[in-house]
Amino acid sequence: MSEAIATSEAAIEGRSPSRLAWERLKRDKTAWVSFLVVMLFILLAAASPLFQAIMKTTPDAFHPEALDEMKGALPLGKLGGVSGHHWFGVEPRTGRDIFLRFVFGARTSLLIALAATTVATIIGVLAGLISGFFGGKVDQLISRILEIVMAFPSILFALAITPVLESVLESAGVPQGNAARIPVMIIVMATFGWPYIARIVRGQVISLREREFVEAARALGASRMHLVFKQILPNLWAPILVTVALNIPSFITTEAALTFLGAGVIEPASDWGAMLLQSVPFYGVDPLYTFIPGIGLFLLVLGFNLFGDSVRDALDPKSAR
Amino acid sequence: MRYLVRRLVGGGIVLTIVSAVVFGIFYILPADPARLACGKSCTPELMAKIRHTLEIDQPIAVQYERFVKGIFVGRDYLKGTTAQIHCPGPCLGYSYQTDEPVTFLIRDRLPATLSVAFGASILWLLVGLLTGIVSALRRGTWIDKAAQAFALGGASLQIYFVGLVLQFIFVDKLQIMHSPGYVSPFQNPKEWFLEMLLPWITLAFLLSAIYARLTRAGMLEIMSEDYIRTARAKGLKKTTVNLKHVLRAAITPIVTVFGLDLGQLLGGAVITEYVFNIPGLGRLATDAVSNVDLPVIVGTVMFAAFFIVVANIAVDLLYSRLDPKVRMR
């Protein structure tokens, strides 16, 4: 539908649909703000080793001098020990620098979420393309698999399968700890993420399959591979892009939730979910420690959600938000 | 009727495959399933017992057959060399760490999870639908903008953060709410309500945001349809059009999402129960994971999958009732 409108406008003004979408996106203030928020976090995460050099300490270094030994090793000073040395304060008990743990945590979260999104998108797009294009038995098989995967209680299953997969990876020679944990998280998240992408792609392929341009290519003797990848796939980038943009925040929160529940990244690596978990015993006396990862997670997810919405609106002007 | 039977058979097949996958992952894939079933505080004696009673020496097909048979009619596990542990059907496994059949553990924990799901779902559906309807009908006004902000914020917040913050404010600082937990509503309904209140509000706040967005988008889409214009042109009252025609059509997709969410929740509100320390199915599962109690993990996953499949079927049946366009095939 949107394409029909876009092409008719293009006939008058000579602008392509993607160019129109881009111009709509450029005019959208929400898109700009949310894009900047997301970029800020990506930059913070990317610059985390730089901060380490500036602050002359590491996220794992203990700072007993910043703790009040008389008060059960709580941070010295106001607001959880915020100071020129420790911009966001220090962790109770250990005195580790919260700002460094925050930026390194952002890096962990973003890397895992992006890796899981990439894997889930590739599998989902391929499955959706095959399922929608070939139809019949193949379609039925893939649809059944989707149904089964979606019948799994995903968080619960992810929690449960982590020790098992970990033991499998370890017996295959992967060292214990995060070297096994992080791949396990990515595998689990991708396994439960791809069906949603596959379903959307499948629906789109079915509506494109019988269109004239595919018909024409088929009549010219194009191979199936050519039809799927050269004719149909290029028309799908808009819905795929929107799905990806809206998938990243849900993977970020899943990652934090898994770590919060104890089935994710483990010490000494920094992670927002782990920070939240570790702040639980102290939230009464040192609320800032809970708020820093909590607000960070909120802003990053909000940024991605708003940006995803804006991209969708730009690509489909008819959608009423 | 035929549709119902077909759906039930389909659901049964899905559950069978889920059970096979779960069984395979937890009892075949690990190098040493007995080690995983034994848990962290494992003694050599317990280990030897589990090795024997899990019947790992038997062929996989036999193990699986006994596992499935246990679900329907129960089974006996060998205890020591002669004595047996009886696990009455439906038997989802036997926890060696607590020395109890998994079904009993689930039975004990189910009421707490049901309580959380019951109160929270009523609250989030009410708040979500009302917010969505009001903001669709008052599109563009400040009410709509406030509702939209609420929806966006709620959809981006996490229960493991909001739960802590609300608990800090209302329980610790202001002391106007009871600290969350679970008592049986049949013994002390007032205390049950007071202890459940904070989990309900937290869960409902986050989920109602999603429902408000869905309702608003659905209402606005239906309101732009031609038949709504026709209904208005016929001179029908505005409220009649909005409630009978718009809402009725907009509510069907929400029923789907609601059924699926409820199904997920009944299998264990994992994060909610963890944050508020409520002894429900989710808590049972997280505890089992941290103690590496394999049979309990398998049992809770199977049980939760059962709820999801049932919810799927219920949603489809309800859908065909609500939406005359969907014909039962």
Side-chain angles (χ1 to χ4, degrees):
Chain A
M1 199 49 111
S2 66
E3 210 186 313
I5 295 166
T7 30
S8 70
E9 278 179 36
I12 303 162
E13 301 190 17
R15 279 185 283 183
S16 71
S18 52
R19 193 183 162 93
L20 278 172
W22 171 239
E23 274 166 18
R24 268 191 295 269
L25 194 62
K26 269 203 305 197
R27 278 198 306 270
D28 188 347
K29 270 189 211 126
T30 321
W32 274 108
V33 174
S34 53
F35 178 72
L36 289 178
V37 170
V38 169
M39 280 317 287
L40 175 76
F41 277 102
I42 293 176
L43 282 178
L44 276 179
S48 47
L50 200 70
F51 287 115
Q52 186 173 312
I54 294 173
M55 300 183 80
K56 295 193 185 67
T57 178
T58 65
D60 308 324
F62 286 23
H63 292 278
E65 73 279 3
L67 298 173
D68 190 350
E69 284 305 325
M70 308 304 285
K71 284 195 195 150
L74 286 176
L76 271 171
K78 287 224 163 85
L79 284 170
V82 172
S83 67
H85 286 295
H86 304 291
W87 302 342
F88 280 2
V90 292
E91 201 179 49
R93 294 275 147 81
T94 59
R96 293 186 294 190
D97 186 88
I98 292 182
F99 179 78
L100 281 181
R101 294 197 75 73
F102 180 77
V103 289
F104 274 92
R107 195 168 74 156
T108 319
S109 294
L110 280 169
L111 281 179
I112 295 178
L114 290 177
T117 308
T118 313
V119 177
T121 308
I122 291 171
I123 302 175
V125 168
L126 280 179
L129 278 174
I130 294 168
S131 182
F133 185 77
F134 292 102
K137 286 233 169 74
V138 185
D139 182 31
Q140 269 183 13
L141 179 71
I142 293 178
S143 298
R144 284 297 148 278
I145 297 174
L146 292 186
E147 206 177 306
I148 291 161
V149 175
M150 290 200 250
F152 276 96
S154 52
I155 288 271
L156 199 57
F157 193 75
L159 284 178
I161 203 178
T162 305
V164 176
L165 278 184
E166 214 182 353
S167 78
V168 171
L169 280 186
E170 277 163 18
S171 63
V174 178
Q176 216 170 356
N178 282 324
R181 281 282 177 124
I182 291 174
V184 167
M185 286 180 95
I186 294 171
I187 294 170
V188 169
M189 282 158 62
T191 308
F192 290 108
W194 71 269
Y196 300 91
I197 302 166
R199 263 211 314 209
I200 292 166
V201 172
R202 175 180 173 269
Q204 299 280 338
V205 173
I206 288 174
S207 73
L208 284 175
R209 194 174 60 187
E210 310 299 337
R211 291 273 286 273
E212 291 82 356
F213 68 93
V214 182
E215 196 79 4
R218 206 193 299 266
L220 285 171
S223 70
R224 281 166 171 183
M225 287 294 274
H226 176 88
L227 290 179
V228 172
F229 289 101
K230 289 277 153 70
Q231 299 293 332
I232 292 179
L233 190 57
N235 283 291
L236 290 177
W237 69 268
I240 293 173
L241 190 70
V242 174
T243 323
V244 168
L246 294 173
N247 250 308
I248 297 172
S250 86
F251 278 133
I252 290 174
T253 56
T254 311
E255 191 274 335
L258 286 178
T259 307
F260 181 80
L261 293 169
V265 179
I266 44 178
E267 291 283 314
S270 311
D271 183 273
W272 289 355
M275 286 173 84
L276 276 169
L277 177 65
Q278 285 149 3
S279 79
V280 173
F282 305 105
Y283 73 83
V285 284
D286 186 5
L288 196 68
Y289 186 26
T290 306
F291 270 90
I292 285 168
I295 297 285
L297 203 54
F298 169 65
L299 287 178
L300 181 58
V301 169
L302 184 67
F304 267 117
N305 277 338
L306 282 173
F307 188 65
D309 280 352
S310 295
V311 172
R312 188 185 51 204
D313 290 352
L315 290 168
D316 181 8
K318 196 173 162 273
S319 77
R321 239 211 304 161
Chain B
M1 197 53 213
R2 266 183 65 195
Y3 177 74
L4 179 67
V5 170
R6 260 188 40 183
R7 285 302 324 233
L8 287 178
V9 171
I13 293 170
V14 169
L15 276 179
T16 312
I17 296 171
V18 169
S19 80
V21 171
V22 167
F23 178 82
I25 286 173
F26 293 109
Y27 288 115
I28 300 168
L29 201 58
D32 188 356
R35 180 76 202 80
L36 277 176
C38 197
K40 275 184 181 157
S41 47
C42 186
T43 58
E45 295 85 60
L46 188 60
M47 184 84 152
K49 190 171 104 189
I50 293 170
R51 253 186 231 296
H52 187 63
T53 56
L54 266 184
E55 299 168 33
I56 289 163
D57 44 339
Q58 298 282 336
I60 287 161
V62 174
Q63 286 186 45
Y64 180 61
E65 187 202 311
R66 289 185 181 159
F67 175 76
V68 173
K69 210 177 134 201
I71 296 177
F72 290 104
V73 296
R75 67 187 283 192
D76 291 313
Y77 287 94
L78 299 161
K79 195 172 193 174
T81 44
T82 49
Q84 294 190 328
I85 310 166
H86 181 62
C87 175
C91 174
L92 288 168
Y94 190 87
S95 165
Y96 298 95
Q97 290 183 28
T98 55
D99 217 12
E100 256 187 299
V102 175
T103 326
F104 291 8
L105 293 170
I106 290 178
R107 189 194 59 200
D108 293 344
R109 299 299 191 93
L110 190 58
T113 296
L114 286 180
S115 303
V116 173
F118 165 77
S121 59
I122 293 176
L123 205 57
W124 95 59
L125 204 55
L126 270 179
V127 176
L129 279 178
L130 280 178
T131 320
I133 293 169
V134 169
S135 74
L137 294 181
R138 299 270 176 274
R139 188 183 185 184
T141 62
W142 68 268
I143 302 179
D144 179 29
K145 282 181 187 137
Q148 289 248 76
F150 158 78
L152 251 172
S156 304
L157 281 167
Q158 300 308 312
I159 198 151
Y160 39 85
F161 173 54
V162 179
L164 291 176
V165 172
L166 292 182
Q167 206 166 337
F168 173 64
I169 297 174
F170 292 109
V171 179
D172 298 349
K173 284 281 149 177
L174 300 176
Q175 299 189 337
I176 50 171
M177 271 191 183
H178 282 229
S179 95
Y182 174 75
V183 289
S184 167
F186 302 109
Q187 279 163 12
N188 192 345
K190 192 179 164 222
E191 188 59 28
W192 170 75
F193 181 81
L194 289 173
E195 289 190 7
M196 277 290 152
L197 200 55
L198 193 60
W200 286 346
I201 291 173
T202 315
L203 202 54
F205 167 50
L206 303 187
L207 277 166
S208 62
I210 297 165
Y211 284 72
R213 268 170 78 125
L214 278 176
T215 312
R216 182 179 183 273
M219 294 265 299
L220 288 178
E221 200 183 319
I222 306 287
M223 279 158 88
S224 66
E225 294 275 346
D226 290 343
Y227 72 88
I228 299 298
R229 199 179 52 195
T230 312
R232 287 228 177 89
K234 277 198 311 190
L236 283 182
K237 265 195 274 172
K238 215 176 169 189
T239 15
T240 320
V241 177
N242 284 341
L243 290 180
K244 277 193 80 176
H245 297 278
V246 179
L247 188 61
R248 165 118 199 226
I251 213 164
T252 30
I254 293 162
V255 169
T256 318
V257 182
F258 178 70
L260 299 180
D261 279 348
L262 195 63
Q264 280 269 4
L265 205 58
L266 286 174
V270 183
I271 303 171
T272 315
E273 289 172 15
Y274 191 85
V275 170
F276 293 114
N277 212 0
I278 292 167
L281 288 176
R283 189 74 219 198
L284 178 68
T286 39
D287 287 346
V289 169
S290 58
N291 297 328
V292 204
D293 192 348
L294 185 69
V296 179
I297 299 174
V298 172
T300 44
V301 169
M302 282 295 302
F303 194 68
F306 171 75
F307 269 123
I308 294 175
V309 170
V310 170
N312 262 314
I313 297 174
V315 159
D316 283 353
L317 292 177
L318 205 59
Y319 209 90
S320 50
R321 277 286 161 81
L322 279 170
D323 189 349
K325 276 187 288 186
V326 180
R327 249 184 270 130
M328 292 191 244
R329 279 171 289 124

